[in-house]
C-alpha cells in the first residue's frame, strides 16, 4: 500500500519504493519492503507500528542516517540516496533536525551552547528574532546557562527541541521524543512540536509507539512488517488505538529492527 | 568470578596491550641489563683465562698508588732486571721470563692518524717469542730496536702490512718514532687479538726504554712451575723468597683480577640501563593506573550489577587485581623475551665495536628472569590497586542508575599531592645541601621520585586553569572549542596522562639545565680568568688522555711572540699517606700565575723548587695546611714518597686543580708527560703568527693540536654536548611511552563518548572536524604535560645547579630554545597520538553511535 497524501511539490521528505535488508542468507531480515511515502511540508506526521515494524528504520533512512538497499529517498530537492559521507553531513547539517529519545545533549556545553551547536558547526549565525521566539516557546530563558546535568529530563528534551528548531531545517525527525519522559513533560514537548508546525510552518516526522503522542500529529502512518498498512488523518488517541489493535493481530514475530 | 574476569580481559585486549607495552619496555631494560652483564662477564672471564693460560705464577712489584678502574690505569711499576735471576734461582721454577707490558703504545695508521681504542688497552710489550697461546702468523720476530711486530687486529685497524715503515707513540715518548713492521702475530684458535687489545711487540731493550722509561727493567716476571709443583705452592715459595715489595699471583688469580676490574666497568653500564628501566616503569605505572581507572569507570554498571547479585567488595578488588596480574604476567614474558634480544644485541655491538671480543654463549641468568617477573607484575598490580579499591566502592544501586558519577572533589588528592611534593622537596634539600652523608644519591633520587608523584597528584587541580588557558588557543573553531572542553572534562584522567609525559620531559629539561649551566660556567670562568691565547692539547677520544713531549713546553717558550708557557701534568697520588687525590704538576707556577692573573692569598707565587707545592684555597682547607706546612706525596712511578713545603695558597678560580706540584713530580706520574700547555703571547702579537710555529712543534704527534682560546673552551665543553645528546636519546623512550598513554586515553575517551560523537555527526559535524576535535584534545593534554615537565625539570635543574655553586657552577642557564623545541615536539606528539583515535572517531557509524549504550 502506498500513502499518497498531499501533492508532490509540497513534500519535505519522500521515500520511493524503499527496501532495507539486513544481513544475508539465513540471517537475512527485511526491515522495509518497498515503502513509498511523502511527508508534506508544514505538517506533523507520526509513524506508528508495533515493535519490529520498521518504523525507526524508515526514519533513519529518510534522515540519511542509514542507507537504503533499494529505492530512493529525498529531502526537499535533494536526493539522499547515493550521497557520500560529506554530502550526508551537509544534508544533516543544513536541512535536517533531530530529536532523540535519549535527548543526546553534550554534557560539556550549556543549554544555550547546545541549542546553538548545529549553527556553530555550520558557521551560521542564528536569526536573533527567531532564536528569541524558540527560547520563549520552549520556556528555557531562565536556564540557558545550565548544563544538561542540572536540568530535568523534560527540560533537557526541550533543549533538544530548541536545538532542532533554531536552525529552521527542512524537516525535523523525532525518534520517540517522549519515550523517556513522564506524561506531563511529554505533553509539554508534544505541544511545542505541534505549535511549531501550526504557527511556524515547521515540518516534523515523529516515530512513536504511544497512541497519545501520535494523536498530536496531523496524520499517522502505520507500518507493520516493513510495509505501510494504514494511515489516519487528524487522528485522536482512540482512533489510533483502534487501528493499532487491528494491526496487532497479524503482527509478525520476525525482528527487523532493534 | 574468575571466568567473568577473563572474559572482560579478552574484551579489552587492545587497550590493555597499549598500557602493557610500557611495562614490556621497562622489563626489557631490566632483563636486558642482566643478560648483557652476564654474557659480557663470561666473555671477559674466558678472555682473561686465555690471556694467562701459559702463566703458572707471575711476579710484579707492588703498585705505589692503587687506583680503581674508574680512576685510571693501574701501573705495574718497573723493577730491576736482576729480579728475573732471583726468581729463576728459587727451587721449583722451571722457566722465568722478564716481561714488559704497559698500556700506551699507539700505532699511527696508514692514514697518518693514531689508531684509537674504545676500551681495550693498547699494550706495548717486549716480544718474548711464540708460546702455546701466541703464534707468529707472518714475518719474523723483531731483532733490532727499530723493528716491531703487531697483532693482526691492530694491523687490520691500522691498515699496515709487513715491511711497512710505521710510526708509533709510546708511554714515554709522545712523538712519532718510526719502526719497520717485521711480523704479525695472533693467538691460538685463529684469534687476531685477546679481547680486542691492540699490541705492539718491541725488542726487550726498546720496550724497556719506551714503555717503562728505564733500561734494564721489567714490570712482571712470568714463571712456569717445574713438574709436580702446584702454582699455589710455587707462589708461596716465591713470595717468601722475594719479600713484601713484590706481588706474586697465580695465573688464575691474575685472570680473575683482570676480569673483575672489567666487570666493575660493566656494572656502571648496568646501572645506567637499570636507571632507564626505572624511568620507563615509573611512566608505565602512570599509564596502567590510568587505563585501569578508565576501565573501572566504564564498567561501573557491570561491577554494580555484580555487587547487586551478591559479589563482595573483596571479590571485585580480586577481579581487578587478577586482571592486572594477567597483564603484568604477559608483559613480563614479552619484556623478558625482548630483554634477552636487546641484551644479545648490545653484547654483540659491544663485542664488535669495542674491538673483536669473542662472545661467550648468550646467558640468561636467574636474576634476569626473577627481576623481570617481579618488576613487571609488581608494578602492574600496584598501579591497578587504586582503581581496584575504587571499583569495590561502587554501590550496587549504580546498576540501576544512569552512569552519571559526579566529579569527586579534588581536595583530598590535592592535599596529599602537596604533602608528597613537600616531602620530595625536603629530601632534595637534604640531599643537595650535602647533609645526607653517604646516602646523598639515594636521597636525591628519592626526592625526585617524590616530587614527580607529588606534582602528578597536584596535576588535576592545575589542569583546570591551565588546560582551559591552553585550549583557549584553539577556541576559534567549533571543533577546537569542543576539544578544549573535552580535555578539561575529567581532570584526573587528563592529569595522569599529562603527568606521564611530564616525567620524561622533566628529566630531559633538568639534565639540560644542569649541563648547560655547567658548560656556560666553565666557559665563563675560562674566559674571565684565562689569559692564554693558544692551548696545546689533544682531544680525548678513548680512555687515555693524549699527552706530548715535555720538551715541547720549553721549545714553545722560545718561539718569538710567546710571552710565557705553562705545561700541565695530572694524575692521582697518595697525599700524606691518606686517600687518593687529584694532583697536577706545572712546569712553572710563576707562568701559571701570570696567565691566570693570580695573586697569592698567602705566600708568594714563584717558580716552585723541586720540594715546594702550591695549594688552592679549597685544597688548603681540605688538607688543613697553610704556608710553611709540609705534605708528603707518593706517585705512581716514584720510589718512596716525597716531602713538599707549601709556599703559596691561590684563589680557587685562579688555580689549576687544588694541589699544584713542581715539574719534577710530573715525571713520576702515571703518564710522565704534559697533557696540556697554556701559551700566553706578548701583547700585540697576532695568534695567526705564532700558531703555525707551535703546530710545527707537535707535528710529530698526531694526537695533539694547537687551538686558540675560543676553540679550546669549546673543546673543553664539547663533552657535555655528547653526554646531553646521549641522555636525551635514552629519555626519549620515556616520552614514547607517554605518547602511548595519550593514545590510550584518547582511544578510551572516544569509546566512552561514542553517543556524543554520533550526535555531533548527526547534527552535521564533518569527519575532518571530528578529527580536529580529538586532535585538539590530544594537543592540549600533551602540551600541558610538556609545560609541567619543563617547569618541574627547570626547578629540579635549578636546585641542583644552586647546590653545585661551591663546585664552580655559578651560572644558571635555562635552555629557552630547547624548551621551545620541547613544546613544539609536545604539540607534534599530540597530533601523532591523536591520529588513530581521531580516525576511529571519524569513521564511527552515526546511527550505531547514537544507539550506543
Amino acid at each position: 500500500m502506498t500513502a499518497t497524501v498531499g501533492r508532490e511539490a509540497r513534500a519535505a521528505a519522500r521515500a520511493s519504493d524503499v527496501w532495507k535488508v539486513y544481513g544475508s542468507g539465513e540471517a537475512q531480515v527485511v526491515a522495509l519492503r518497498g515503502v513509498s511515502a511523502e511527508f508534506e511540508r508544514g505538517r506533523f506526521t507520526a509513524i506508528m507500528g508495533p515493535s519490529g515494524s520498521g518504523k525507526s528504520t524508515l526514519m533513519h533512512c529518510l534522515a540519511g542516517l542509514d542507507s537504503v538497499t533499494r529505492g530512493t529517498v529525498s529531502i526537499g530537492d535533494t536526493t539522499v540516496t547515493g550521497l557520500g559521507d560529506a554530502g550526508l553531513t551537509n544534508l544533516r547539517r543544513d536541512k535536517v533536525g533531530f530529536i532523540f529519545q535519549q535527548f543526546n545533549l553534550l554534557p560539556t556545553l550549556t543549554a544555550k551552547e547546545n541549542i546553538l551547536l548545529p549553527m556553530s558547526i555550520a558557521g551560521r549565525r542564528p536569526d536573533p528574532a527567531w532564536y528569541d521566539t524558540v527560547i520563549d516557546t520552549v520556556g528555557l530563558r531562565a536556564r540557558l546557562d545550565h548544563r544538561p546535568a542540572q536540568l530535568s529530563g523534560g527540560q533537557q528534551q526541550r533543549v533538544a527541541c530548541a536545538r532542532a528548531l533554531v536552525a529552521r531545517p527542512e524537516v525535523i525527525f523525532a525518534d520517540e521524543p517522549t519515550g523517556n519522559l513522564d506524561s506531563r513533560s511529554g505533553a509539554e514537548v508534544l505541544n511545542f512540536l505541534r505549535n511549531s508546525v501550526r504557527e511556524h510552518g515547521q515540518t516534523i516526522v515523529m516515530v512513536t509507539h504511544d497512541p497519545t503522542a501520535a494523536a498530536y500529529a496531523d496524520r499517522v502512518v502505520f507500518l507493520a512488517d516493513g510495509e505501510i498498512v494504514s494511515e489516519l488523518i487528524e487522528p485522536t488517541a482512540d482512533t489510533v488505538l483502534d487501528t493499532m489493535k487491528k494491526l496487532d493481530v497479524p503482527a509478525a514475530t520476525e525482528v527487523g529492527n532493534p | 568470578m574468575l571466568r567473568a574476569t577473563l572474559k572482560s580481559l579478552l574484551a579489552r585486549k587492545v587497550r590493555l596491550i597499549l598500557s602493557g607495552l610500557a611495562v614490556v619496555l621497562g622489563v626489557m631494560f631490566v632483563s636486558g641489563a642482566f643478560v648483557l652483564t652476564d654474557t659480557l662477564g663470561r666473555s671477559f672471564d674466558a678472555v682473561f683465562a686465555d690471556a694467562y693460560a701459559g702463566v703458572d705464577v707471575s711476579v710484579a712489584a707492588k703498585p705505589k698508588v692503587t687506583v680503581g678502574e674508574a680512576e685510571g690505569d693501574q701501573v705495574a711499576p718497573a723493577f730491576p732486571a736482576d729480579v728475573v735471576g732471583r726468581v729463576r734461582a728459587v727451587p721449583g721454577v722451571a722457566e722465568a721470563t722478564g716481561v714488559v707490558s704497559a698500556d700506551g703504545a699507539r700505532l699511527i695508521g696508514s692514514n697518518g692518524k693514531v689508531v684509537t681504542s674504545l676500551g681495550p688497552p693498547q699494550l706495548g710489550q717486549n716480544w718474548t717469542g711464540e708460546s702455546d697461546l701466541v703464534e707468529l702468523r707472518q714475518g719474523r720476530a723483531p731483532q733490532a730496536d727499530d723493528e716491531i711486530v703487531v697483532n693482526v687486529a691492530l694491523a687490520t685497524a691500522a691498515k699496515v702490512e709487513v715491511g711497512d715503515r710505521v710510526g708509533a707513540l709510546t708511554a714515554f715518548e709522545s712523538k712519532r718514532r718510526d719502526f719497520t713492521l717485521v711480523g704479525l702475530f695472533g693467538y691460538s684458535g685463529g684469534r687476531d687479538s685477546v679481547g680486542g687489545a691492540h699490541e705492539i711487540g718491541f725488542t726487550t731493550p726498546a720496550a724497556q726504554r719506551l714503555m717503562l722509561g728505564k733500561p734494564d727493567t721489567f714490570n712482571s716476571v712470568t714463571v712456569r712451575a717445574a713438574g709436580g709443583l702446584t702454582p699455589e705452592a710455587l707462589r708461596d715459595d716465591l713470595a717468601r723468597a722475594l719479600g713484601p715489595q713484590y706481588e706474586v699471583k697465580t695465573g688464575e688469580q691474575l685472570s680473575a683480577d683482570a676480569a673483575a676490574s672489567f666487570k666493575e666497568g660493566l656494572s656502571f653500564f648496568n646501572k645506567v640501563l637499570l636507571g632507564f628501566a626505572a624511568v620507563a616503569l615509573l611512566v608505565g605505572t602512570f599509564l596502567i593506573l590510568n587505563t585501569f581507572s578508565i576501565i573501572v569507570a566504564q564498567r561501573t554498571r557491570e561491577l554494580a550489577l555484580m555487587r547487586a547479585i551478591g559479589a563482595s567488595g573483596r571479590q571485585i578488588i580480586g577481579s581487578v587485581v587478577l586482571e592486572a596480574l594477567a597483564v603484568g604476567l604477559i608483559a613480563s614474558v614479552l619484556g623478558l623475551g625482548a630483554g634477552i634480544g636487546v641484551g644479545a644485541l648490545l653484547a654483540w655491538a659491544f663485542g664488535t665495536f669495542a674491538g673483536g671480543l669473542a662472545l661467550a654463549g648468550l646467558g640468561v641468568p636467574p636474576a634476569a628472569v626473577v627481576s623481570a617477573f617481579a618488576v613487571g607484575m609488581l608494578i602492574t598490580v600496584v598501579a591497578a590497586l587504586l582503581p581496584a579499591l575504587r571499583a569495590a566502592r561502587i554501590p550496587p544501586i549504580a546498576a540501576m542508575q544512569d552512569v552519571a558519577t559526579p566529579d569527586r572533589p579534588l581536595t583530598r588528592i590535592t592535599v596529599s599531592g602537596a604533602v608528597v611534593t613537600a616531602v620530595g622537596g625536603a629530601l632534595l634539600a637534604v640531599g643537595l645541601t650535602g647533609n645526607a652523608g653517604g646516602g646523598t644519591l639515594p636521597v636525591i633520587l628519592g626526592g625526585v621520585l617524590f616530587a614527580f608523584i607529588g606534582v602528578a597528584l597536584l596535576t588535576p587541580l592545575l589542569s583546570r586553569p591551565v588546560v582551559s588557558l591552553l585550549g583557549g588557543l584553539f577556541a576559534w573553531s567549533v571543533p577546537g572549542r569542543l576539544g578544549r572542553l573535552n580535555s578539561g572534562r575529567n581532570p584526573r584522567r587528563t592529569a595522569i596522562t599529562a603527568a606521564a609525559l611530564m616525567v620524561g620531559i622533566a628529566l630531559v629539561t633538568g639534565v639540560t639545565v644542569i649541563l648547560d649551566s655547567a658548560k656556560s660556567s666553565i666557559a665563563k670562568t675560562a674566559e674571565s680568568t684565562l689569559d692564554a691565547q693558544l692551548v696545546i692539547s689533544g682531544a680525548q677520544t678513548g680512555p687515555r688522555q693524549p699527552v706530548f713531549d715535555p720538551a715541547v713546553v720549553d721549545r714553545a717558550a722560545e718561539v718569538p711572540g710567546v710571552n710565557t708557557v705553562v705545561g700541565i701534568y695530572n694524575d692521582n697520588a697518595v697525599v700524606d699517606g691518606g686517600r687518593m687525590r687529584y694532583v697536577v704538576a706545572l712546569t712553572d707556577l710563576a707562568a701559571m700565575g701570570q696567565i691566570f692573573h693570580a695573586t697569592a692569598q698567602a705566600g708568594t707565587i714563584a717558580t716552585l723548587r723541586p720540594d715546594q707545592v702550591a695549594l688552592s684555597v679549597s685544597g688548603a682547607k681540605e688538607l688543613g695546611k697553610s704556608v710553611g706546612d709540609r705534605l708528603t706525596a707518593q706517585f705512581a712511578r716514584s720510589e718512596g714518597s716525597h716531602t713538599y713545603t707549601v709556599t703559596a695558597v691561590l684563589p680557587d678560580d685562579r688555580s689549576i686543580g687544588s694541589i699544584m706540584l713542581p715539574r719534577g713530580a710530573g715525571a713520576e706520574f702515571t703518564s710522565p708527560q704534559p697533557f696540556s700547555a697554556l701559551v700566553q703571547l706578548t701583547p700585540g702579537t697576532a695568534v695567526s703568527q705564532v700558531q703555525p710555529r707551535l703546530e710545527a712543534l707537535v707535528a710529530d704527534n698526531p694526537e695533539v693540536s694547537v687551538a686558540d682560546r675560543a676553540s679550546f673552551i669549546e673543546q673543553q665543553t664539547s663533552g657535555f654536548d655528547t653526554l646531553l645528546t646521549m641522555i636525551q636519546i635514552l629519555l626519549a623512550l620515556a616520552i614514547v611511552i607517554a605518547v602511548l598513554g595519550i593514545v590510550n586515553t584518547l582511544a578510551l575517551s572516544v569509546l566512552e563518548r561514542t553517543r556524543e560523537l554520533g550526535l555531533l555527526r548527526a547534527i552535521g559535524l564533518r569527519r575532518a572536524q571530528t578529527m580536529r576535535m580529538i586532535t585538539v584534545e590530544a594537543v592540549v593534554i600533551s602540551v600541558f604535560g610538556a609545560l609541567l615537565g619543563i617547569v618541574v625539570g627547570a626547578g629540579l635543574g635549578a636546585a641542583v645547579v644552586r647546590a653545585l655553586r661551591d663546585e664552580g657552577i655559578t651560572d644558571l642557564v635555562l635552555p629557552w630554545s630547547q624548551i621551545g623545541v620541547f613544546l613544539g615536539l609536545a604539540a607534534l606528539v599530540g597530533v601523532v597520538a591523536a591520529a588513530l583515535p581521531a580516525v576511529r572517531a571519524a569513521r564511527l557509524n552515526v546511527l550505531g553511535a547514537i544507539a550506543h549504550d
Side-chain angles (χ1 to χ4, degrees):
Chain A
M1 179 170 174
T2 308
T4 48
V5 177
R7 293 199 311 277
E8 217 171 272
R10 294 181 59 205
R14 186 187 309 123
S16 323
D17 191 27
V18 167
W19 287 73
K20 180 69 189 176
V21 182
Y22 293 104
S24 58
E26 287 280 308
Q28 195 178 62
V29 172
V30 182
L32 297 175
R33 306 170 181 273
V35 172
S36 297
E38 286 183 0
F39 301 89
E40 290 164 292
R41 191 155 286 160
R43 294 197 69 173
F44 187 0
T45 312
I47 302 175
M48 285 207 73
S51 269
S53 60
K55 57 185 189 299
S56 288
T57 307
L58 176 60
M59 194 202 87
H60 292 151
C61 289
L62 284 169
L65 288 175
D66 206 349
S67 59
V68 301
T69 310
R70 222 173 77 197
T72 52
V73 169
S74 52
I75 302 257
D77 316 326
T78 315
T79 306
V80 178
T81 318
L83 283 181
D85 183 75
L88 285 173
T89 305
N90 282 341
L91 175 87
R92 291 196 300 262
R93 204 178 70 184
D94 302 332
K95 301 204 165 165
V96 178
F98 288 102
I99 302 168
F100 299 100
Q101 183 178 357
Q102 311 274 5
F103 322 142
N104 280 348
L105 301 178
L106 286 199
T108 48
L109 302 181
T110 61
K112 182 178 179 181
E113 287 168 332
N114 264 294
I115 291 170
L116 293 176
L117 185 60
M119 308 216 58
S120 325
I121 289 175
R124 282 189 282 148
R125 307 214 138 267
D127 170 359
W130 174 240
Y131 171 76
D132 281 336
T133 311
V134 170
I135 297 299
D136 290 334
T137 314
V138 295
L140 280 168
R141 195 165 286 284
R143 308 219 159 243
L144 284 178
D145 291 328
H146 290 54
R147 288 181 200 279
Q150 300 163 308
L151 298 173
S152 71
Q155 287 167 335
Q156 287 190 48
Q157 194 62 306
R158 281 189 274 156
V159 171
C161 292
R163 180 177 67 195
L165 286 168
V166 80
R168 291 184 140 155
E170 195 100 10
V171 52
I172 292 176
F173 292 102
D175 190 358
E176 304 271 14
T178 56
N180 272 11
L181 299 178
D182 60 69
S183 53
R184 217 184 101 211
S185 308
E188 276 173 18
V189 164
L190 288 165
N191 266 318
F192 300 136
L193 296 181
R194 186 166 63 186
N195 288 345
S196 65
V197 173
R198 298 253 165 99
E199 291 165 20
H200 307 295
Q202 182 63 53
T203 310
I204 296 180
V205 177
M206 171 175 77
V207 167
T208 183
H209 65 275
D210 174 10
T212 323
Y216 281 81
D218 299 323
R219 167 191 166 211
V220 185
V221 176
F222 291 90
L223 250 76
D225 215 3
E227 289 175 280
I228 292 178
V229 288
S230 176
E231 77 175 293
L232 281 174
I233 309 288
E234 303 297 335
T236 65
D238 292 336
T239 54
V240 173
L241 203 56
D242 286 343
T243 317
M244 285 294 284
K245 276 180 185 156
K246 279 179 231 154
L247 293 179
D248 258 347
V249 183
T253 47
E254 161 195 34
V255 178
N257 190 3
Chain B
M1 205 69 198
L2 180 64
R3 178 175 300 190
T5 304
L6 288 178
K7 285 226 163 122
S8 95
L9 202 61
L10 282 177
R12 284 163 240 278
K13 49 184 176 297
V14 174
R15 78 191 76 144
L16 287 174
I17 285 170
L18 268 178
S19 49
L21 208 55
V23 181
V24 170
L25 290 174
V27 170
M28 178 183 90
F29 271 99
V30 173
S31 51
F34 281 110
V35 169
L36 175 68
T37 324
D38 180 75
T39 306
L40 288 184
R42 281 181 302 109
S43 310
F44 282 127
D45 282 342
V47 164
F48 291 112
D50 252 9
Y52 294 101
V55 181
D56 283 341
V57 178
S58 167
V59 175
K62 280 234 170 80
K64 307 277 177 22
V65 173
T66 316
V67 295
E69 172 71 19
E71 292 168 272
D73 295 313
Q74 185 89 38
V75 181
F79 50 75
D82 61 19
V83 172
V84 181
R86 281 169 63 196
V87 169
R88 208 171 275 142
V90 172
V93 173
E95 202 185 313
T97 317
V99 174
V100 174
S101 180
D103 196 4
R106 291 147 288 161
L107 197 70
I108 296 168
S110 60
N111 59 0
K113 294 209 172 96
V114 168
V115 180
T116 53
S117 155
L118 290 174
Q122 300 180 295
L123 300 173
Q125 300 163 327
N126 58 336
W127 175 254
T128 53
E130 289 184 277
S131 65
D132 291 347
L133 182 66
V134 181
E135 51 198 34
L136 205 53
R137 295 265 176 84
Q138 215 183 325
R140 58 173 174 82
Q143 283 154 2
D145 286 354
D146 70 338
E147 290 178 349
I148 53 168
V149 290
V150 302
N151 68 3
V152 179
L154 177 55
T156 312
K159 298 197 176 70
V160 292
E161 285 167 21
V162 171
D164 287 355
R165 281 296 275 184
V166 294
L169 305 175
T170 52
F172 278 79
E173 211 177 60
S174 284
K175 56 183 180 186
R176 183 188 173 112
R177 176 183 283 270
D178 285 317
F179 298 90
T180 306
L181 181 62
V182 295
L184 300 183
F185 63 96
Y187 294 86
S188 59
R191 287 166 304 154
D192 294 339
S193 75
V194 171
H198 290 166
E199 289 170 89
I200 303 179
F202 302 93
T203 58
T204 300
Q208 288 166 335
R209 207 178 58 245
L210 298 172
M211 298 311 299
L212 297 179
K214 284 180 204 158
D216 278 329
T217 53
F218 292 105
N219 62 351
S220 72
V221 183
T222 303
V223 181
R224 269 199 177 281
L229 200 59
T230 63
E232 288 74 18
L234 182 59
R235 173 194 63 194
D236 297 342
D237 289 350
L238 279 167
R240 261 193 304 279
L242 291 168
Q245 307 100 294
Y246 291 92
E247 253 177 9
V248 188
K249 288 181 173 173
T250 61
E252 249 171 67
Q253 274 177 313
L254 281 177
S255 108
D257 285 356
S261 85
F262 265 86
K263 284 180 191 167
E264 207 179 298
L266 270 184
S267 81
F268 168 76
F269 200 55
N270 202 8
K271 279 180 194 141
V272 170
L273 282 178
L274 290 178
F276 287 108
V279 172
L281 288 169
L282 177 64
V283 176
T285 310
F286 283 115
L287 226 69
I288 290 173
L289 176 67
N290 208 18
T291 306
F292 275 91
S293 299
I294 298 173
I295 286 175
V296 166
Q298 284 179 341
R299 284 169 65 194
T300 300
R301 235 179 230 254
E302 187 188 324
L303 291 167
L305 182 70
M306 287 196 182
R307 291 302 307 274
I309 61 173
S312 70
R314 193 175 295 175
Q315 275 174 308
I316 299 284
I317 295 179
S319 96
V320 175
V321 169
L322 199 66
E323 238 181 271
L325 265 178
V327 172
L329 183 69
I330 295 169
S332 300
V333 170
L334 294 178
L336 178 60
I340 293 172
V342 164
L345 192 73
L346 284 178
W348 173 82
F350 193 94
T352 310
F353 296 114
L357 175 68
L359 285 183
L362 188 66
V364 182
V369 179
V370 170
S371 61
F373 284 98
V375 163
M377 293 173 71
L378 198 72
I379 289 282
T380 322
V381 170
V382 165
L385 218 52
L386 228 85
L389 291 173
R390 203 172 301 149
R393 280 205 296 263
I394 296 171
I397 190 70
M400 283 50 138
Q401 291 168 336
D402 216 6
V403 198
T405 33
D407 238 0
R408 283 165 301 136
L410 300 172
T411 330
R412 247 175 60 192
I413 196 170
T414 305
V415 169
S416 44
V419 170
V420 175
T421 311
V423 170
L427 283 176
L428 276 174
V430 170
L432 290 177
T433 49
N435 291 335
T440 303
L441 191 64
V443 167
I444 291 180
L445 290 180
V448 170
L449 182 69
F450 271 94
F452 279 153
I453 295 175
V455 172
L457 289 173
L458 286 176
T459 312
L461 189 75
L462 293 173
S463 81
R464 282 213 170 118
V466 179
V467 160
S468 107
L469 209 67
L470 280 176
L473 297 175
F474 302 99
W476 46 267
S477 74
V478 178
R481 209 151 55 228
L482 292 171
R484 169 199 182 185
L485 287 171
N486 283 339
S487 51
R489 203 155 160 176
N490 192 330
R492 281 186 169 75
R493 191 184 298 177
T494 303
I496 206 157
T497 311
L501 188 62
M502 167 194 78
V503 173
I505 301 260
L507 287 173
V508 173
T509 310
V511 169
T512 311
V513 167
I514 296 167
L515 291 182
D516 277 5
S517 298
K519 204 172 116 176
S520 148
S521 301
I522 288 173
K524 274 211 177 136
T525 310
E527 265 164 33
S528 63
T529 61
L530 184 66
D531 186 16
Q533 288 69 44
L534 287 167
V535 178
I536 305 171
S537 69
Q540 191 164 354
T541 52
R544 86 187 340 275
Q545 174 175 267
V547 292
F548 51 88
D549 191 347
V552 170
V553 178
D554 305 321
R555 272 188 269 149
E558 285 156 19
V559 170
V562 170
N563 191 19
T564 189
V565 182
V566 61
I568 309 161
Y569 305 68
N570 65 350
D571 201 2
N572 290 303
V574 179
V575 176
D576 277 345
R579 68 180 178 89
M580 293 272 304
R581 286 179 193 277
Y582 175 78
V583 295
V584 300
L586 304 175
T587 52
D588 187 357
L589 183 70
M592 191 216 80
Q594 199 177 334
I595 287 170
F596 282 87
H597 298 289
T599 16
Q601 285 220 332
T604 46
I605 300 174
T607 306
L608 292 170
R609 286 208 310 268
D611 60 347
Q612 291 180 327
V613 65
L615 302 175
S616 72
V617 169
S618 60
K621 207 171 120 195
E622 246 178 83
L623 292 167
K625 306 271 177 188
S626 49
V627 172
D629 289 349
R630 285 156 189 267
L631 61 84
T632 61
Q634 166 73 60
F635 309 121
R637 294 184 198 275
S638 61
E639 301 289 337
S641 61
H642 298 286
T643 305
Y644 296 94
T645 309
V646 180
T647 60
V649 176
L650 279 68
D652 280 352
D653 61 344
R654 310 276 154 165
S655 328
I656 300 172
S658 52
I659 303 172
M660 290 160 280
L661 293 156
R663 183 170 192 164
E668 297 183 338
F669 282 2
T670 307
S671 177
Q673 303 179 83
F675 71 97
S676 176
L678 308 175
V679 182
Q680 186 181 63
L681 305 186
T682 46
T685 311
V687 167
S688 59
Q689 197 186 324
V690 180
Q691 193 167 2
R693 304 196 57 174
L694 293 181
E695 274 162 356
L697 294 179
V698 290
D700 56 6
N701 186 335
E703 283 185 312
V704 173
S705 61
V706 180
D708 60 20
R709 202 174 70 161
S711 49
F712 169 70
I713 291 172
E714 209 181 290
Q715 238 177 49
Q716 294 300 297
T717 53
S718 67
F720 288 105
D721 292 334
T722 319
L723 186 64
L724 193 58
T725 311
M726 273 168 55
I727 291 176
Q728 282 173 347
I729 289 172
L730 283 162
L731 285 178
L733 180 91
I735 294 170
V736 168
I737 296 177
V739 173
L740 290 179
I742 298 175
V743 175
N744 207 6
T745 301
L746 284 179
L748 292 165
S749 298
V750 165
L751 204 71
E752 224 174 40
R753 298 181 198 142
T754 302
R755 221 163 77 189
E756 260 173 70
L757 286 165
L759 168 85
L760 284 167
R761 295 277 290 128
I763 62 173
L765 198 69
R766 290 171 203 278
R767 278 191 170 148
Q769 288 176 311
T770 313
M771 289 172 71
R772 208 187 313 155
M773 177 176 84
I774 308 277
T775 307
V776 165
E777 187 178 349
V779 169
V780 167
I781 293 178
S782 60
V783 171
F784 175 48
L787 269 180
L788 271 180
I790 287 164
V791 170
V792 172
L796 288 175
V800 171
V801 167
R802 180 71 211 245
L804 291 177
R805 204 156 60 167
D806 290 345
E807 312 287 320
I809 302 184
T810 47
D811 228 31
L812 177 63
V813 179
L814 291 179
W816 292 113
S817 62
Q818 296 256 36
I819 286 174
V821 169
F822 292 155
L823 283 178
L825 268 179
L828 191 71
V829 154
V831 173
V832 171
L836 271 173
V839 166
R840 204 166 149 187
R843 290 255 173 90
L844 274 181
N845 174 300
V846 180
L847 191 56
I850 292 177
H852 187 84
D853 200 7

